[in-house]
Amino acid sequence: MKPTQRSMRLCSMLLVFVLLTVELFGCTKHASTNEALVSNDIALYDTPYHTEADATSTPASETPATDVPTVEPTESPTEPITPEATLAQSTDELRPSGAPEDDPTVVQTPSHEAFVAVNGEKAYINRSYVNLRQQPTTESDIVKRLTYATEAVINAESDNWYKVNVGESEGYIAKPYLTRGEVLTPVPTATPKPTPAPTPTSASFTKVNNVAAYTNRAYVNLRSEPSTESEIITVMPYGTKLVITAKNNEWYRVKKGSETAYVAKEYVTIGSLETPKPTSTPKPTSTPKPTSTPKPTPTPKPTADPDGFTPMNNVDAYVNVGDVNMRKGPSSSTAILDVLLYGTVVKLTAQNSKWYKVNYNGTVGYVFKKYLTIGSSAPTTPEPKPQGEFTDYEIHLVAALVYLEAPGSTAVGCRAIASIIYNRVKNTSNRFPDDVAGVILQKNQFGNRSLQKLENTVPNKAAKEAAEYVFRTHGSTLPANVFFYRAARLGIEWQDYMVYYTTIEGNNFYYGIKYF
């Protein structure tokens, strides 16, 4: 090949190489640019908070394509349950243990009700505890809690609510808990009393030829007829002289002065009351002169026993009132071992500040100190038991128990509870203790309250006034044989020896026919 041809061929090959190189370089650059743009578009759409500035801040070719994490939206927090919501779900009436429950059929009403104006009609609360609310719905706030017999003035009413004024407060009360009219003192409902035993006729008595007799108790009822339901003519002390003119299985017809009446046989002893004659004391016989004897060693003084009693050397003492309990322990809540009549002589073996430890015919027990007088014989006429005299301490115990048993009661309800305590203290059947502390602390009767709890309780005004009214001013506001009560919500039927009397402020009251 000629040199010229060779040179031309080389030039042609070089030109082709250059063109191929240029073409190849251009395609590669174009592909890289497009790839960068595509990656940038993906980044822009994946970014959750994209703005225009984000897309133009840097050249696409210099921005690497990165994955941006997606931010998940958070759920809105749930609404917390408030104490008010919980309160609104509860009943609209709160009451103490033992008080009657409200009608559970009362339905919650919407807060928007159609009300009709009422011209200031008076009404009163008929439950122990009722809520006065800001709006006519059980979901609204409570303005105050009202107690039984609180007076209200009705300004308007809807199907379910009254709009009322109570003093300076205004609000709404559910209709079942308000009674229109003036509040009245509860009157005992007419209920059948236990049918008394038929009164024996004069034909059932056998005549007796004026037999002398006397009363063997400190307080014995002289009645107009031979029945415990008949009128009491007088109350006779121990040793009252009587003349028996007739008798049957249970009663004596007697004369006392110019009066003819009846006495239960168990309280009368036939014969004349004799004053015990002193026995003659033998004259001392002459004794030989004592020989010299060694001096006795001094006897150590007795020490108090573990129960806090100081020993006594069998000192004689007699019962100074009628029907005194000798108990198993130095407490009014312990078992009764015997009932000692007026004049009974016992031996005192130990004492503390309130009790004597005694021996009576071989039986050892305890008697409250105020019912014993040191001496070997009692006076012919017994000393009468004080009537209506109660200490401030005893009045406090009564008020404390009334407050704990019925904290929201009015004067009527408090007096009824205090009367139950009073009736038991005055009862002479030996079924109950004969002092205030003993009655209140008697086992299984008043919730087993402790003496320390009662002493430390501060009663409210209603409880204090009720204790003073019953124990110092008026006496019981219930019949003397009404001894029991319980919550009315438990129903009228109770034990077979309970006879329903009446219902007062959520409690049913009962006669105890075993205790007459």
Side-chain angles (χ1 to χ4, degrees), residues 97 175 220 223 252 265 269 279 296 300 339-340 351 353 373 389 391 394 405 409 425 493 497 502 515:
S97 174
K175 275 193 167 183
V220 178
R223 295 185 178 273
Y252 284 130
K265 293 179 74 172
T269 298
T279 56
V339 178
L340 308 179
Q351 66 174 334
S353 61
T373 299
E389 295 182 3
T391 65
E394 289 175 315
E405 288 288 298
S409 293
V425 172
E493 296 298 327
Y497 57 85
T502 190
Y515 301 84

Side-chain angles (χ1 to χ4, degrees), residues 358-380:
V358 304
N359 186 316
Y360 175 61
N361 292 339
T363 301
V364 176
Y366 296 82
V367 177
F368 211 56
K369 289 182 88 170
K370 67 179 181 179
Y371 301 139
L372 293 176
T373 299
I374 293 177
S376 58
S377 62
T380 302

Side-chain angles (χ1 to χ4, degrees), residues 233-250:
I233 299 173
T234 187
V235 178
M236 301 177 289
Y238 172 87
T240 301
K241 293 181 180 180
L242 304 169
V243 176
I244 300 174
T245 61
K247 67 178 181 178
N248 66 9
N249 291 335
E250 297 181 351

Side-chain angles (χ1 to χ4, degrees), residues 53 125 169 234 236 294 297 316 352 359 408 430 467 472:
I125 300 300
S169 301
T234 187
M236 301 177 289
T297 57
D316 285 340
N352 68 5
N359 186 316
N430 298 321
R472 284 185 172 162

Side-chain angles (χ1 to χ4, degrees), residues 96-273:
S97 174
E101 296 177 353
D102 291 332
D103 184 354
T105 62
V106 177
V107 180
Q108 295 182 357
T109 59
S111 59
H112 299 290
E113 295 210 2
F115 278 80
V116 178
V118 176
N119 189 23
E121 183 177 347
K122 288 186 177 181
Y124 65 91
I125 300 300
N126 59 23
R127 299 290 195 277
S128 294
Y129 293 94
V130 174
N131 296 325
L132 177 67
R133 296 187 176 272
Q134 288 185 353
Q135 298 297 328
T137 169
T138 55
E139 302 292 334
S140 72
D141 291 338
I142 296 171
V143 178
K144 63 167 62 175
R145 298 191 192 283
L146 309 175
T147 57
Y148 175 84
T150 300
E151 184 179 282
V153 177
I154 303 174
N155 296 325
E157 67 175 320
S158 68
D159 290 339
N160 300 289
W161 294 83
Y162 286 122
K163 183 178 181 182
V164 301
N165 282 92
V166 181
E168 297 181 355
S169 301
E170 183 179 71
Y172 297 83
I173 296 175
K175 275 193 167 183
Y177 307 140
L178 202 62
T179 298
R180 295 190 179 197
E182 299 284 347
V183 64
L184 301 177
T185 301
V187 177
T189 55
T191 55
K193 292 185 177 180
T195 304
T199 302
T201 63
S202 59
S204 63
F205 276 74
T206 303
K207 290 186 177 180
V208 175
N209 189 21
N210 296 331
V211 175
Y214 63 93
T215 56
N216 58 23
R217 297 287 194 278
Y219 301 97
V220 178
N221 294 325
L222 183 67
R223 295 185 178 273
S224 60
E225 298 292 339
S227 168
T228 56
E229 300 294 326
S230 68
E231 177 187 1
I232 297 173
I233 299 173
T234 187
V235 178
M236 301 177 289
Y238 172 87
T240 301
K241 293 181 180 180
L242 304 169
V243 176
I244 300 174
T245 61
K247 67 178 181 178
N248 66 9
N249 291 335
E250 297 181 351
W251 295 85
Y252 284 130
R253 182 189 299 154
V254 300
K255 283 185 178 181
K256 180 181 178 294
S258 60
E259 293 181 304
T260 298
Y262 297 86
V263 180
K265 293 179 74 172
E266 63 181 300
Y267 305 133
V268 175
T269 298
I270 294 176
S272 299
L273 179 64

Side-chain angles (χ1 to χ4, degrees), residues 40 53-63:
N40 194 45
D54 294 331
T56 58
S57 58
T58 56
S61 60
E62 296 178 6
T63 303

